[in-house]
Each structure stands twice: as C-alpha cells, then as structure tokens.
Amino acid sequence: MFFSGDSSTRKRVDLGGRSSKERDRQRLLEQARNERKRRLNLRQQNSAALKIQKCFRGRKAVEAERSKVREQFCLTFGKHCQKVDRNCFYSDSGFLQQLLFFFNAHNSGDFVALVETCRLLHRFVRANAGDVVDLFAGVDYKSKHAIVENRVKRLAFACLQAVHHNRNQLKDQLLLSSECTSVPAVILLEAVVILTDPKLPWVCKVVGYLLQRNTFALLRDIIVTAKQSTMDRAANRELSSLGHVLILIASHVGQQPFTSTNIDPRWSFSIIASHVGQQPCTCTNIDPRWSFSSQVLTIPFLWQLFPHLKEVFAVSGMNKHYIHQMALCVHGQANVLPDDISREFPGYACLLGNILETAVAAFSQPNSSFDMAIDFAVVSAFMLEALPPIKSSNRECKGDSSLGVDEMVIDEECVEEGMNKDLQRQIINAIDPRLLQQLVNVLSRGTSLLSGSPKDMPQNKEVEAVGAICSFLHVTFNTLPLELIMTVLAYRTELVPMIWNFMKLCHENQQWPSLSSQTAHLLGDGPGWLLPLAVFCPVYKHMLMIVDNEEFYEQEKPLSLKDIRGLIVILKQALWQLLWVIPMKSPNAVKSSTVLSGHRRNSVDFIQQRVSIVTSELLAQLQDWNNRQQFTSPSDFHAQEAVDEVFISQALTENSRAYDILKQAPFLVPFTSRVRIFTSQLAAARQRNGPQAVFTRHRFRIRRDRIFEDAFNQLSALSEEDLRGMIRVSFVNELGVEEAGIDGGGIFKDFMENITRAAFDVQYGLFKETTDHLLFPNPGSGLIHEQHLQFFHFLGSILGKAMFEGILVDIPFATFFLSKLKQKYNYLNDLTSLDPELYRHLIFLKHYEGDISELELYFVIVNNEYGEQTEEELLPGGKDIRVTNENVIQFIHLIANHRLNFQIRQQSSHFLRGFQQLIQKNWIEMFSEHEIQLLISGSLEGLDVEDLRHHTNYAGGYHNEHYVIEMFWEVLKNFSSENQQKFLKFVTGCSRGPLLGFKYLEPLLCIQRAAGDASDEALDRLPTSATCMNLLKLPPYRSKEQLEMKLMYAINAEAGFDLS
C-alpha cells in the first residue's frame, strides 16, 4: 500500500523501552488513586459538616435554654437580685446554679446581675461574721463539697471574666482599693478575694480551676488596661482589689508562708500560705507560658502599680518559687514569654527589671537560700545576655575613667534603638551595691571557699556557686557600666578570695571542673578557667588601683604574696594558651564588641578574647607592683617559649602570633629580647630615612651658653621627616668662636646630652622634682613661660630623637610621668613619689573608722602654684558634696587623679605629641615605665670594664696584650664610677653604654696609637678622641701613673671638642 500522507496510523514507539500496555496500566492506577482521594475528601467534608451542624444546633439549643433560664431567673429573683436572701448561696438554692448557667460576660444584663450577686455576697459574709463556708454549705460541708466547690470556682472565674471583658469601660476603677465598694470592678474583684481566701477548704480547687483557664493571661490584659488609666495613682496608697487578687493567686501557687508584721493587718490574713496544717496543695502544674512569671512579671514597672505585691513577692518567699520555675526553663525562656507590649518594652527586659528590683529585699530575708541565689544568678544572666550593652556616657571628669555612681548616665548611642530609657534605668539602678553584696554573701555562705580548709578538689556546691556568680557577673560586665559595680565587688564583698581559692584548688590539682550545665551555654567546650578569670581579673585589677603599699606588701591583703606568686603562674599559663596555643581571632575584634548581639558578646570566642585582655592587664599591673618593691623574680612573668630566636624573628612580622603577643602581653617576652626587637625597629626606621638624609642634611650652629633657646628656635621648624633624618651640630663657645671638630655623630651626641641637661633642669621651670629627685612636668609652667606648651612639644621630640638615634641621656623621670608616654592613667600608689604627705593623709582617710562626715571635707582641692591659690571642684557641685564613709573611696581616687593626671594633662599631652613624631606608640608600649627609663638612661649599674675590653678593637700597633693596653685597662678599672662615665662620654659622646652591652656599640670602641715614637715630646701629649667613630687616640705612655694623670686631665678638661 502506498503512503496516503496521514501519519496517524504510524506505529508509536516508547523510547523508554516500555510498552503501551504498561503505560495504560499506570494511567489507570493513577486514575483509581485520585478517585479514592476524591471520595475520601467528600466523606470528610460531609463528616465535618455534620459536626459543625451538630455543634451549631447544640449551641443554639444551649443559648435558647440559657435565655429561658435567664428569663426565669429574672422572674424568680429579680433583674437586680432584689428578691433573694442569704439562703440564695446555699447548695440547695437554684440561684447560683441558674446564674452561672446562663452568665455571659458579653451580656450587659448578666454583668449587672453578677455585680449585684457579688454585692450580696459581701453583705452576707459581713453579716455572717466572715464565715464563707457556712454561707455556701451550712454545717455539713463534707457531704456537699463537690457542689459547693463547683459553684465557687465558676463564680470566681465569672467575676474575672466580667472584669476582663469590660476592662476598657472599667479602667479607672481597676486600681481602686477595697474601700470603694460602690464601683463594679471593686465589687467583682473583692468577691474573688473572698472566694480565694487561703483559709477556705476549697481554695486549692478554686485556684487550680482558675489557672487551668489561663487566669494570669486575663489578669495581664486587665493590668495593661489599668496602666492606661488617667487616675492619680499616687493619691491612693491603699492595697488595690486587683493587687489583692494577684497576691492571693500568686502566693497560693508559690505556697510560701507569709508572716510579716510590716503589712497592713487589714489584709495580711489573706496571704498566709494555703493549707496551713492541712494536706499538701493538689493544684495542677501550670504551663510556663501561662504562669505568673511569664504573664504578669513581664509587665513593665509592675511594682509601681502594686507596691504591696512587691513587698509580698520579695519577703514571703514567692520569688524563690517563681525564680526556680524560670530557672527550669531558662534555656527556652524566649519561647514561653508572651508578645511584647510594645517595641519599647521587650518582655524579657521587663521581667528582668521586676526581678532585680525585688532581689535586694529577697536576699536580706533570713530564709534566703543558696539554691535561690543560684537560680537568681542563672536566670538574671540569661536575660542580661539578651540586653544590648548599656554604657555610661563619656563625660569627662578631669580625665577620670572611674566616675561615681551618681554621675552615671545612659549613653543613648550605645542603647538599642526603641528601648525605653526608664526601663534601662530600672535595670541599672536595680543592680546596686546591696544586691551584689548580698548575692555574693549568700553564695559564699553556701560553700567553704572562704574557710581556708585544704581540700582535694572543689565540691559540687562550690563549682555551682562559682559558675553561677561568674556567669552573672561576666554578662553584667559586658552589659552595664563597669563603674557602677566594680567598687562594691572589690571592696565590699569576698568575691576575690572566693574565686581565688577556687582557682587555686583547681590549679593545685591540675583539674578544672566544668561549670554547671545551667551556665554551659556561655562556655560551650571552652576550658573551665575561662569564666572565673573573666570575672576575677577585672575585679582584682580594680582593687589594686586603690590598695595601698602597706596593705599589699605588709598586711598582704587581699591576697598573700605567696598566693600572688601562684596567681602569676596561673595567669601566665592561661594567657599563653589563649595567645599562642588556642587558635583565636585577632584581638582587634574585641574593640567592636559593644555592637555585637548578646549571643556574639558571650560566645566562647568573645570570652577567650576578653579573658586574654583582662589577664594581660592584670599581669601588667602585678608587674608594676613588682617593680615598686620586688616580691618575685622578674623572670616569673616571662614565658619560657618566648625566648628563642624563632619567636623574636616572628615578632618583627606584623599579623603573626608572636607580634600579637608582643603587642598585647609584652611582659611574656624577656626585657633583653624586647630591647633587641626595639633596636631592630629603630634600625629599620633609620634605614628608611637614611638615603634621604644625605640630601636633607641639616647643620645648626649652637651657642653653648644659649643651647636651649638656639635649639628650640632652629629645630622646632623641622618637619617630622626632617627630625628622623640626619642632623649635624657645630658648637660656638662663650667667646663666639666655633669649636674645632667635624660632627660625624659624636658632637651631636654631646649636643643631645647638653640640651637635655639644660632643658630638664628644674631651674628652667618646665619640670619639677619629687622628693626622690625624679622629674615631672611643672603644673605651673604656664606662669613662667608663655610658650610652655610649645617647649614641652619640643622636649618630647628631643627625647624621641635621642631614643631614635640610640643615644642614652641621664634624665631620671618620675614613673607617673613615664606612664603618660604609654597614655596610661595613674592611681593612688603613684602618689607616694609625687606627694608623700598627701598620700599619708589619703591612706588615713581610707582606714578612718569614725564618721568621716565630721571631718568637714568636701569634693574640692586647693592648688598652690608660686603663691597663687586656686580652688577646684573634683565633681560638678563638689563644694557642696560632703565626704562620707560611703563616698570616701571615690574622693581618694579623685584627689589622686587630680594630682597625677589632671594637673599635668596639657604638658604631658604636648610632650607626647612631640615624642611620637619619632617613636611610634606600639614600639614604646612593649615596655613598662621602669623599662622605659632604662631605654632612656641605660642601666644604673657602673661601667662593665670587662665587657668593654672584650668588645674593643685596636689599631696603630696596639693589641690586647700590649703593655700600654694592659696599663690602660688597669687604670680604667680603678676609676670611680663618675670618672668611668666621664671617660665613656669623652670617647663615645655619651656617658652611658648600650643597654645590651658594648657588643651593640656602633661602631665598636677602637684604641689607636697616637704617636709614632716614644719621644718625650710625643709622650707629653694628651689622649684625644673621635666620638663619631668611638675612637680613642692613646699615646704610648711609659708608666701607669703617667697614663692615669693624662687620661684624668683629658676627661675632666671640659674643653668641648677642642682637644680632638
């Protein structure tokens, strides 16, 4: 057959390899499956429709029956219940049965009937001498208890329902006291008070029934509406009916007896715990989402509305029950809280504020327990963790970084946008000294950490106590202003010895237990010493700021010197672990921690970074104490791993771990190693400026008798780049003649020594001396020199130039001034050097046992400069603030701060600017103040003649065993220390040798024969030098006496460089 052009008859081929029969079978199965689903859906729809119709018909029938009963009720008892007597509440009466059957809170008539019923209840209870049981059941309660309990609990719930539904109309009545018996809201709420009296036998059934119907959620809505009332709340100090209802229900659930005699006797009877002398409470456990904690305590400023409830909650033990309830579900707390009232009032923040506000009263009760303190710390830490950081403002108080409590204000830029300021202030004010003191005391009483009894390991309670207090304080440190809490923790609690004894036990046993599982969300898999160190280090560091020398060294408070040596070992090991062993992000990330979320702020990485910082700060402070008076070897601060050449080479490379250690914890590296790194940095900087210096060379003519003025006028005009370059000097003597000699570096060294000697002379008026003859800026320098700040800038650059060129200058600075080169604050113990008498007076005040206010001291200080007396306030309005026992620590701190920081702030600031033109901040931060003085002036030890001889070269026929050289070294060795320094200055231009020894003298000392023969004329010459090359030209004297005489004459001639 021929092709007809119709393709429909073409055979179909399934490329998948399936036949058409198989395909048809699958289609048929799919159709059958869909048909079954359709029939199932149809049956379900029909069934649902039947249920809906049945429910609707049932409800319609019930409503019809309720309407019928309502009409019958009005006919029988009257629309306003005017046809009833006291028997209407009896179990055989149909009055309550009918009312509770048809009652609907949406029906205004039913509301009126319920109000009248409650009015009758009040009247009959009063008439029956308060016997509520007799009113409902007569004398045979046991046989009728089921009917009575059912009616009472439904009546109580109906009253709350009625108030809840009509709360907007009743909002001005909700906070009225029970004396206002004519208003519907009070009548209904007082009926609930009567029916839930703890002495009644059915109270447990009634409260359980109310809780099953989420009564606290209804009360929350009622309270929120009551807050919107325009009524003057301050005018009514009586217990409100709504507050009374809250007390009854909440205290019943808390099951705590209340026997305080401080509460008004008119209502104290109603809050005695349920079932006194009867069977235990059988109330069903309530879902945490509908509990008093979640629904009521999350209302902002709850205690302002219900001050009596606050007292009951704090002192009756209710808080113990509810805080424990919160602790059980603390990790899921965000899921059990209701929706926030508004963005301004997050539920967790309101809950935190209300709990904290009652904590002081709770912990002051005799029944406050260790377990309650644990629960409180865990719950508070969890909620504080969710808060944004709240920091104090950057208000300046004369450079003081530790303002008083009264000065703290909230930094609006640091607070989460939209959060209510009053709520933040409530939280800040609640964490006050009394709370911290009581919390630490309760936790420490529950352990034996303060008893000093030796143990193998901390017990479970001790681990739990340390874990709870450390988690609470760590989160608090990262959330609230530290100034508010550090002083009380340091001086009014036993926190430091408590945590130290715990750490000491763990360290001695080489085992750090994991902290409580309730605080494990902070640490994760981090080591057990992280949280204790995160809290101990900042508190102990704060304590050391005000501890005096007698307490630290002699009384050994708060820790013994032996304990401090052990502490140094723990801190050093922990710090090395964090900076070298444990991988960690850059420490710079910590600086932005205040903008992190709560989770990030308390992650293990953040805690590790934070601990590395506070640990290094505390170790640096302990090193300062050791520099004042040595109680341990300086090498105890060094890490053994930080001394090899590999570490030193890595330390010169930025972004390496060794570089980070050098930057954050330089004391781990031995001083000599840091000096080598410093000299390498200086050499590299000089090398960078070396090629340019050839073309930008500056030569200055300086008159010796006007050295400071000439140097200031000429060198001040140099730029920072020029200062780093080569500078050459020629001296002009007092006759106006330029001195002989070409400056190859030696004359410049001499210039540096002379100008520093002149400028830093106290006679010039820029600097003053302490009693130890140490220099610091003169606070009254402006009264002597009009350009005093420019002079300080210039002197800073001069000192920087000396260090930059490796020239040692003999200028003994006071430690508290050297700290300004590191931009550090000075504290009380630095005052001993500046003003010992003032220091003694302040220490007397600190330990004064009487009433300090009787001394008539105020927050002012009198300055006396050159006979001119001025009075300055230490605080705004300080002349009116009397010093008391409570604020004396702050007064002492402010006095020390004024003398050590504020008075010399301008001079120090300008000096630092000039200094940092040549010496970078990160270079000098490697060293302590004591070490900086060594960098400036070298070691105070005498000249090491053997070291100098070992690193000396010879020329012109001299050698190490030449008889002239042998005589020379014997003569030099017998010189006094002063003459040895003069010799060194004569040869090198500087009276002190290199800090690391003469191996680092650049170039090495060379002794050259000065005369070709030993004629009398040649031997009559004096020794000469070329300081630019560290060269001594020594004639071949015949005797030791002759060599000593000539050398002494040369080094004491003080003839400038004319001898060269």
Side-chain angles (χ1 to χ4, degrees):
M1 175 180 282
F2 296 96
F3 175 61
S4 63
D6 184 9
S7 62
S8 60
T9 60
R10 180 179 297 176
K11 185 178 181 179
R12 296 180 180 178
V13 178
D14 192 329
L15 297 179
R18 295 172 297 180
S19 67
S20 59
K21 293 181 179 179
E22 182 181 355
R23 186 171 60 251
D24 293 341
R25 184 167 55 253
Q26 290 178 349
R27 185 183 300 113
L28 181 61
L29 291 174
E30 184 66 27
Q31 289 175 352
R33 191 180 298 113
N34 292 337
E35 185 63 23
R36 283 197 300 273
K37 286 183 179 179
R38 186 185 65 79
R39 291 196 299 270
L40 177 63
N41 289 336
L42 184 60
R43 285 196 300 270
Q44 290 176 341
Q45 290 175 7
N46 290 336
S47 176
L50 289 174
K51 290 180 180 177
I52 293 172
Q53 291 170 10
K54 182 188 294 186
C55 181
F56 176 77
R57 287 195 297 268
R59 287 183 176 274
K60 189 174 180 181
V62 169
E63 286 300 322
E65 186 63 24
R66 283 176 175 168
S67 297
K68 187 188 300 184
V69 173
R70 184 181 288 113
E71 292 176 4
Q72 184 65 35
F73 178 87
C74 292
L75 291 174
T76 305
F77 302 106
K79 198 177 231 183
H80 297 284
C81 305
Q82 64 270 26
K83 301 177 183 179
V84 298
D85 56 18
R86 71 180 303 279
N87 294 323
C88 66
F89 292 100
Y90 198 66
S91 58
D92 295 336
S93 171
F95 176 74
L96 279 182
Q97 181 184 17
Q98 293 180 28
L99 175 64
L100 296 174
F101 174 74
F102 68 75
F103 176 75
N104 185 345
H106 299 267
N107 188 305
S108 59
D110 293 356
F111 177 80
V112 172
L114 182 64
V115 170
E116 294 304 321
T117 300
C118 292
R119 196 191 305 272
L120 290 171
L121 175 64
H122 291 214
R123 189 175 74 195
F124 294 149
V125 168
R126 285 195 299 269
N128 204 34
D131 191 347
V132 184
V133 177
D134 179 69
L135 185 66
F136 280 89
V139 294
D140 190 15
Y141 170 72
K142 287 187 178 180
S143 63
K144 302 174 182 179
H145 73 90
I147 296 174
V148 172
E149 289 171 358
N150 181 61
R151 290 183 180 179
V152 168
K153 66 186 182 183
R154 291 173 60 197
L155 177 59
F157 183 68
C159 293
L160 291 176
Q161 263 191 321
V163 175
H164 178 265
H165 180 74
N166 298 280
R167 62 188 183 278
N168 290 320
Q169 293 83 358
L170 303 174
K171 67 180 181 181
D172 289 336
Q173 305 174 16
L174 296 175
L175 295 177
L176 295 178
S177 71
S178 58
E179 295 178 353
C180 304
T181 55
S182 61
V183 296
V186 173
I187 294 172
L188 293 170
L189 291 171
E190 282 298 313
V192 179
V193 170
I194 292 173
L195 298 175
T196 55
D197 190 322
K199 295 182 293 184
L200 298 175
W202 58 65
V203 63
C204 191
K205 296 287 186 181
V206 174
V207 173
Y209 181 84
L210 295 177
L211 296 181
Q212 288 175 351
R213 278 148 184 77
N214 302 333
T215 297
F216 285 127
L218 301 183
L219 291 170
R220 173 184 175 85
D221 293 339
I222 294 172
I223 295 170
V224 171
T225 303
K227 286 172 64 68
Q228 302 169 4
S229 171
T230 57
M231 185 186 67
D232 183 13
R233 300 170 195 157
N236 189 2
R237 298 294 183 184
E238 298 295 327
L239 171 67
S240 68
S241 296
L242 180 56
H244 205 162
V245 171
L246 283 168
I247 290 172
L248 286 169
I249 300 177
S251 63
H252 177 88
V253 179
Q255 297 184 58
Q256 294 296 330
F258 183 78
T259 58
S260 173
T261 57
N262 298 325
I263 305 301
D264 192 325
R266 289 185 294 104
W267 55 275
S268 62
F269 73 91
S270 64
I271 49 180
I272 299 174
S274 61
H275 317 303
V276 176
Q278 299 187 25
Q279 295 299 318
C281 179
T282 58
C283 294
T284 56
N285 291 328
I286 186 173
D287 189 324
R289 290 175 297 174
W290 309 110
S291 68
F292 177 77
S293 308
S294 298
Q295 295 293 329
V296 180
L297 288 180
T298 52
I299 298 174
F301 313 116
L302 178 69
W303 311 128
Q304 294 180 8
L305 298 175
F306 307 108
H308 298 292
L309 175 61
K310 175 184 177 181
E311 185 173 356
V312 175
F313 184 82
V315 303
S316 70
M318 285 168 54
N319 57 346
K320 178 179 179 180
H321 169 80
Y322 288 112
I323 290 175
H324 180 66
Q325 185 184 68
M326 285 183 279
L328 293 177
C329 56
V330 69
H331 296 296
Q333 190 70 37
N335 297 325
V336 302
L337 296 183
D339 293 337
D340 297 339
I341 292 178
S342 68
R343 186 179 175 187
E344 274 193 308
F345 298 100
Y348 69 91
C350 299
L351 176 60
L352 176 64
N354 289 328
I355 290 176
L356 291 175
E357 201 171 327
T358 59
V360 171
F363 284 124
S364 63
Q365 298 304 305
N367 62 348
S368 61
S369 66
F370 176 83
D371 292 335
M372 172 187 162
I374 293 289
D375 289 338
F376 170 82
V378 171
V379 171
S380 301
F382 188 83
M383 288 185 288
L384 276 168
E385 206 179 344
L387 282 180
I390 303 174
K391 298 299 180 184
S392 61
S393 70
N394 295 326
R395 292 172 61 185
E396 292 184 3
C397 180
K398 301 182 179 180
D400 182 26
S401 62
S402 301
L403 301 180
V405 172
D406 295 335
E407 291 190 280
M408 291 301 105
V409 295
I410 295 174
D411 186 355
E412 298 180 1
E413 296 179 359
C414 292
V415 178
E416 185 177 357
E417 183 181 358
M419 194 169 176
N420 183 268
K421 303 294 186 299
D422 292 331
L423 180 57
Q424 299 158 14
R425 198 167 285 109
Q426 180 193 26
I427 295 171
I428 289 178
N429 293 339
I431 304 182
D432 65 357
R434 291 179 300 163
L435 170 60
L436 297 172
Q437 191 172 3
Q438 290 171 354
L439 178 60
V440 174
N441 289 342
V442 171
L443 288 175
S444 61
R445 282 201 310 264
T447 70
S448 57
L449 288 173
L450 297 178
S451 64
S453 56
K455 298 181 201 166
D456 293 333
M457 277 295 293
Q459 304 301 312
N460 291 336
K461 287 188 71 173
E462 294 163 351
V463 173
E464 199 173 7
V466 171
I469 192 63
C470 287
S471 62
F472 172 73
L473 291 176
H474 167 71
V475 178
T476 303
F477 291 167
N478 294 321
T479 307
L480 301 183
L482 291 181
E483 300 89 345
L484 297 175
I485 52 184
M486 277 300 178
T487 299
V488 64
L489 289 174
Y491 309 121
R492 299 183 191 175
T493 71
E494 297 294 327
L495 181 68
V496 166
M498 175 183 172
I499 299 181
W500 163 245
N501 288 332
F502 174 81
M503 294 194 303
K504 183 167 66 170
L505 281 176
C506 296
H507 178 71
E508 289 173 352
N509 291 279
Q510 295 298 309
Q511 184 178 353
W512 291 84
S514 59
L515 299 180
S516 168
S517 59
Q518 292 176 313
T519 59
H521 64 285
L522 289 176
L523 279 179
D525 297 328
W529 42 262
L530 268 182
L531 266 184
L533 284 179
V535 173
F536 175 85
C537 290
V539 177
Y540 187 47
K541 175 177 176 287
H542 188 82
M543 181 180 287
L544 291 179
M545 292 178 184
I546 204 72
V547 167
D548 55 76
N549 292 330
E550 182 180 354
E551 287 176 315
F552 187 89
Y553 295 111
E554 298 176 18
Q555 300 177 8
E556 299 191 9
K557 293 181 179 180
L559 301 182
S560 68
L561 295 180
K562 179 182 177 181
D563 282 345
I564 293 176
R565 286 190 284 269
L567 173 62
I568 291 171
V569 174
I570 295 176
L571 296 178
K572 183 176 65 175
Q573 292 177 355
L575 190 56
W576 185 258
Q577 285 283 318
L578 293 171
L579 296 180
W580 187 260
V581 179
I582 301 177
M584 195 171 58
K585 299 175 183 177
S586 170
N588 294 333
V590 180
K591 297 184 187 280
S592 60
S593 64
T594 55
V595 299
L596 299 177
S597 65
H599 176 71
R600 282 284 306 281
R601 282 189 287 117
N602 298 295
S603 64
V604 177
D605 284 342
F606 175 81
I607 297 177
Q608 288 179 357
Q609 292 171 346
R610 185 64 191 156
V611 170
S612 70
I613 290 177
V614 296
T615 304
S616 61
E617 289 175 347
L618 178 56
L619 269 174
Q621 197 166 15
L622 290 173
Q623 188 185 43
D624 290 341
W625 281 93
N626 197 48
N627 289 334
R628 291 191 192 105
Q629 182 177 326
Q630 188 168 310
F631 57 85
T632 188
S633 171
S635 62
D636 288 346
F637 292 90
H638 303 157
Q640 298 299 321
E641 301 86 346
V643 297
D644 58 10
E645 294 295 330
V646 176
F647 181 89
I648 294 175
S649 62
Q650 289 182 2
L652 292 170
T653 306
E654 290 192 18
N655 300 321
S656 65
R657 286 193 186 181
Y659 180 84
D660 290 338
I661 289 177
L662 197 64
K663 187 175 180 181
Q664 184 173 334
F667 43 79
L668 293 177
V669 184
F671 175 60
T672 54
S673 299
R674 282 179 280 133
V675 173
R676 289 170 57 190
I677 294 170
F678 179 62
T679 54
S680 299
Q681 291 170 330
L682 291 178
R686 288 195 297 268
Q687 184 65 29
R688 287 193 297 270
N689 288 273
Q692 302 175 11
V694 177
F695 305 101
T696 58
R697 183 171 177 175
H698 295 274
R699 177 183 173 88
F700 301 105
R701 297 179 78 250
I702 304 295
R703 293 171 292 178
R704 282 193 179 271
D705 54 349
R706 305 282 291 178
I707 187 171
F708 180 77
E709 290 79 0
D710 287 356
F712 174 76
N713 292 331
Q714 298 180 58
L715 271 67
S716 293
L718 296 181
S719 65
E720 181 176 325
E721 184 180 350
D722 291 336
L723 283 172
R724 288 174 175 265
M726 188 181 296
I727 296 176
R728 290 296 174 249
V729 172
S730 62
F731 280 116
V732 177
N733 62 23
E734 59 274 11
L735 301 177
V737 178
E738 186 171 321
E739 294 181 2
I742 299 174
D743 189 3
I747 299 179
F748 179 71
K749 291 181 185 178
D750 184 60
F751 161 74
M752 294 298 293
E753 280 209 349
N754 281 281
I755 190 174
T756 51
R757 188 184 300 116
F760 291 99
D761 192 329
V762 294
Q763 299 299 323
Y764 201 75
L766 292 175
F767 280 80
K768 295 180 76 173
E769 273 187 342
T770 67
T771 54
D772 301 328
H773 304 291
L774 303 177
L775 298 176
F776 68 96
N778 179 7
S781 58
L783 300 175
I784 301 175
H785 300 285
E786 186 176 345
Q787 292 182 287
H788 69 122
L789 296 181
Q790 290 89 333
F791 287 165
F792 277 105
H793 185 280
F794 170 68
L795 291 181
S797 62
I798 286 294
L799 182 63
K801 181 64 174 176
M803 293 184 69
F804 188 79
E805 298 293 345
I807 301 172
L808 299 176
V809 290
D810 190 9
I811 311 173
F813 288 114
T815 303
F816 63 85
F817 173 61
L818 289 174
S819 66
K820 297 305 175 184
L821 299 183
K822 300 182 66 176
Q823 296 175 267
K824 282 175 53 180
Y825 273 86
N826 297 300
Y827 298 98
L828 175 64
N829 287 287
D830 298 301
L831 193 60
T832 53
S833 174
L834 174 62
D835 194 335
E837 184 178 359
L838 177 60
Y839 176 80
R840 286 193 298 271
H841 291 164
L842 294 180
I843 296 303
F844 168 80
L845 273 182
K846 180 183 174 184
H847 298 290
Y848 188 70
E849 296 180 356
D851 186 357
I852 294 180
S853 61
E854 295 178 354
L855 301 179
E856 292 289 334
L857 296 174
Y858 294 86
F859 277 75
V860 294
I861 190 170
V862 177
N863 300 317
N864 189 350
E865 296 294 341
Y866 301 104
E868 182 178 330
Q869 284 194 350
T870 58
E871 187 178 88
E872 286 191 62
E873 293 183 337
L874 298 171
L875 290 174
K879 62 183 179 181
D880 299 320
I881 303 176
R882 180 175 292 191
V883 180
T884 64
N885 294 72
E886 288 72 30
N887 61 21
V888 66
I889 295 295
Q890 183 188 13
F891 174 75
I892 292 171
H893 180 76
L894 290 174
I895 288 285
N897 172 71
H898 179 87
R899 294 298 309 275
L900 294 167
N901 299 307
F902 182 72
Q903 275 193 322
I904 60 173
R905 71 194 185 284
Q906 288 186 318
Q907 293 90 332
S908 300
S909 175
H910 282 78
F911 189 93
L912 179 63
R913 290 177 197 170
F915 182 76
Q916 288 184 344
Q917 284 185 301
L918 293 108
I919 303 298
Q920 295 180 18
K921 182 174 180 287
N922 61 309
W923 293 351
I924 208 68
E925 283 184 339
M926 291 190 295
F927 304 98
S928 67
E929 290 81 355
H930 174 72
E931 293 167 342
I932 293 175
Q933 184 63 60
L934 294 178
L935 293 178
I936 294 171
S937 302
S939 175
L940 297 178
E941 299 175 0
L943 175 67
D944 189 344
V945 177
E946 291 301 324
D947 181 51
L948 178 59
R949 181 172 186 177
H950 187 67
H951 297 98
T952 298
N953 296 325
Y954 305 96
Y958 283 155
H959 54 81
N960 190 41
E961 297 179 356
H962 195 282
Y963 78 95
V964 176
I965 298 301
E966 293 284 354
M967 288 191 300
F968 167 77
W969 290 118
E970 288 184 26
V971 168
L972 185 60
K973 195 170 187 178
N974 293 328
F975 272 2
S976 66
S977 178
E978 180 183 359
N979 286 331
Q980 286 178 346
Q981 290 183 357
K982 288 181 178 180
F983 165 77
L984 201 57
K985 178 176 171 56
F986 175 73
V987 177
T988 66
C990 182
S991 60
R992 296 175 184 253
L995 198 58
L996 298 180
F998 288 99
K999 176 182 178 180
Y1000 294 89
L1001 185 63
E1002 185 72 24
L1004 294 179
L1005 175 66
C1006 181
I1007 302 178
Q1008 179 181 336
R1009 184 167 177 159
D1013 54 12
S1015 61
D1016 292 340
E1017 183 180 351
L1019 296 179
D1020 195 42
R1021 296 177 56 185
L1022 292 172
T1024 59
S1025 65
T1027 54
C1028 56
M1029 296 181 291
N1030 297 330
L1031 176 66
L1032 173 63
K1033 301 173 184 177
L1034 184 65
Y1037 299 114
R1038 293 172 182 161
S1039 66
K1040 187 164 64 173
E1041 292 74 15
Q1042 184 184 25
L1043 189 149
E1044 181 179 3
M1045 181 188 66
K1046 296 290 186 180
L1047 189 59
M1048 284 289 291
Y1049 185 88
I1051 64 175
N1052 287 285
E1054 296 184 356
F1057 280 80
D1058 289 332
L1059 286 177
S1060 297

